[in-house]
Amino acid sequence: MNHSPHSRPLARFALSLGMVGALAAPLAASADDLPRGYYPLPEEGDLVGSVYTVEADEEDTLVDIGHDHGIGYNEMVRANPEVSIWYPGEGTQVTIPGQFILPDAPRTGIVVNVAEMRLYYYPPAANGEQRQVQTYPIAVGRMDWKTPLGTTTITEMVRNPAWYPPASIRREHAEAGKPLPGVVPPGPENPMGSRKMRLGIPGYLIHGTNKPEGVGMRVTHGCIRMLPEDVEGLFDQLSVGTRVRLVNEPFKLGWSDGTLYVQAYPYLEEDEDEGATLERVTAAIDKVDATIDGAEYPVDYSRLKAVVEVPNGVPVALEEPEPANPQRLPGSLYDHIELVASEQTLLNQISHEG
């Protein structure tokens, strides 16, 4: 996270000064003017996008709706637990969890958050232009073929690649009774899709897919799969040497307009033994306390606990709400007096009945 509430007054003052020359400056593009998955990169803060709802048509599936809005399988299922995956039904209100806290990583090149199953790209901007961030759903490695972490670069870029299945994958398919050929040519049967970007970590790629329904799930042999239209659009913007950071952040914090938000995702299966829920809650509290850095920020710790215990991937504001009745706080002396009075009344009734 790059910014705290301490920088807000200065930012607002600078903004007010900047209004003087606003008419002479080019207008920054709003999110509504940008393609799907493109957002203005906030100069102050860490939050992009929004959560909104759409109405399903008769022929829609939850997966189709998600792909139309740049959201992967698991993201859609978590945000719509009561909605049928394959038949939401005409007129059903479907939540699009399209708001994201940017990962705690340098905002350059590509950042892949494996826990989130999402890729972020920070393209360079020409002088005077507002910077942007692009974000796309991805599929990552399953538990026995997990996607690696670390910093690397793109070392090769190929259009319409052939696929040469590694020996380990050919062996796995053979054991399942579905042997693979030594090479799969470009085309609709190629699991690489139409674009392939090789990483500096041997054996790992960013590529398209011929099975887009798996994007947003842990289904790969460690590579990063993208929707066909997403990988083609991203491919045209990149070059050999682009830096790629692969991180695992199931718990993210970020500021927006002076409010601290939290966004949490389920832990990867292989991380389940790293700590019980109580330990995760404790770690989250420590991270929040370090982020506010001693400031008198009204953190709602009960809300933080709920997010960690049931992570659904939707950003939640951690600002403690004002009490409905400031004159009377939960757990106060007034509650204690009422409890004692109620107990005494009950005892009086029992003694009179006896």
Side-chain angles (χ1 to χ4, degrees):
M1 271 45 65
N2 294 346
H3 306 284
S4 73
H6 305 299
S7 61
R8 300 290 163 190
L10 180 59
R12 294 193 183 99
F13 177 66
L15 180 61
S16 66
L17 290 179
M19 291 299 291
V20 176
L23 294 179
L27 292 176
S30 69
D32 293 336
D33 300 326
L34 298 172
R36 170 178 66 75
Y38 288 53
Y39 302 97
L41 185 63
E43 295 183 5
E44 292 286 335
D46 311 284
L47 203 65
V48 298
S50 61
V51 177
Y52 54 96
T53 60
V54 298
E55 191 172 287
D57 292 330
E58 174 69 21
E59 68 278 6
D60 282 336
T61 69
L62 202 60
V63 178
D64 293 335
I65 296 172
H67 289 180
D68 287 344
H69 294 267
I71 307 296
Y73 180 95
N74 282 345
E75 293 174 296
M76 289 298 292
V77 171
R78 284 194 297 262
N80 298 276
E82 305 300 323
V83 177
S84 169
I85 298 171
W86 303 115
Y87 184 70
E90 185 173 9
T92 298
Q93 294 296 308
V94 175
T95 298
I96 306 297
Q99 191 173 44
F100 313 101
I101 297 174
L102 299 175
D104 188 14
R107 295 177 183 177
T108 58
I110 290 174
V111 176
V112 173
N113 186 4
V114 177
E116 188 179 0
M117 285 182 274
R118 184 157 285 274
L119 180 151
Y120 295 83
Y121 173 54
Y122 300 92
N127 288 337
E129 289 186 357
Q130 183 178 17
R131 292 194 62 201
Q132 297 177 6
V133 58
Q134 302 169 24
T135 182
Y136 305 99
I138 57 174
V140 299
R142 60 182 193 255
M143 184 169 64
D144 50 342
W145 294 90
K146 62 182 180 180
T147 300
L149 305 178
T151 299
T152 184
T153 60
I154 293 176
T155 60
E156 180 188 41
M157 302 179 65
V158 180
R159 295 175 183 268
N160 301 315
W163 182 43
Y164 298 87
S168 57
I169 296 178
R170 293 182 66 185
R171 183 168 52 252
E172 179 186 49
H173 279 253
E175 290 172 354
K178 300 177 180 179
L180 290 172
V183 58
V184 178
E189 301 302 317
N190 191 320
M192 294 284 103
S194 65
R195 302 290 186 274
K196 178 182 80 172
M197 292 169 278
R198 187 176 301 280
L199 300 179
I201 303 172
Y204 293 94
L205 314 166
I206 299 174
H207 61 80
T209 181
N210 64 340
K211 296 181 179 179
E213 63 275 9
V215 170
M217 302 174 69
R218 302 195 67 202
V219 293
T220 80
H221 289 85
C223 289
I224 296 162
R225 290 184 196 168
M226 300 180 67
L227 293 174
E229 61 272 25
D230 290 347
V231 75
E232 289 176 5
L234 182 64
F235 185 96
D236 291 340
Q237 302 176 69
L238 303 179
S239 60
V240 170
T242 298
R243 187 173 295 276
V244 179
R245 294 179 175 88
L246 301 121
V247 301
N248 178 24
E249 295 182 14
F251 180 84
K252 299 190 294 180
L253 292 171
W255 296 98
S256 181
D257 294 328
T259 298
L260 183 61
Y261 287 80
V262 60
Q263 188 171 25
Y265 296 88
Y267 278 68
L268 302 179
E269 285 90 337
E270 61 266 25
D271 295 336
E272 285 296 323
D273 294 333
E274 288 188 2
T277 299
L278 178 59
E279 293 172 335
R280 291 176 187 160
V281 171
T282 301
I285 292 172
D286 291 342
K287 190 170 182 178
V288 168
D289 289 344
T291 300
I292 62 177
D293 193 25
E296 294 184 4
Y297 185 85
V299 175
D300 187 339
Y301 288 101
S302 63
R303 187 175 297 176
L304 173 64
K305 179 175 180 289
V307 170
V308 174
E309 290 178 340
V310 186
N312 68 356
V314 175
V316 174
L318 286 181
E319 189 167 276
E320 188 176 57
E322 290 292 330
N325 184 355
Q327 300 302 318
R328 176 174 175 175
L329 300 177
S332 68
L333 176 62
Y334 298 98
D335 294 308
H336 180 67
I337 292 173
E338 278 198 3
L339 179 61
V340 172
S342 299
E343 291 176 346
Q344 186 60 51
T345 300
L346 179 59
L347 288 172
N348 291 338
Q349 289 175 348
I350 293 175
S351 62
H352 292 157
E353 291 170 357

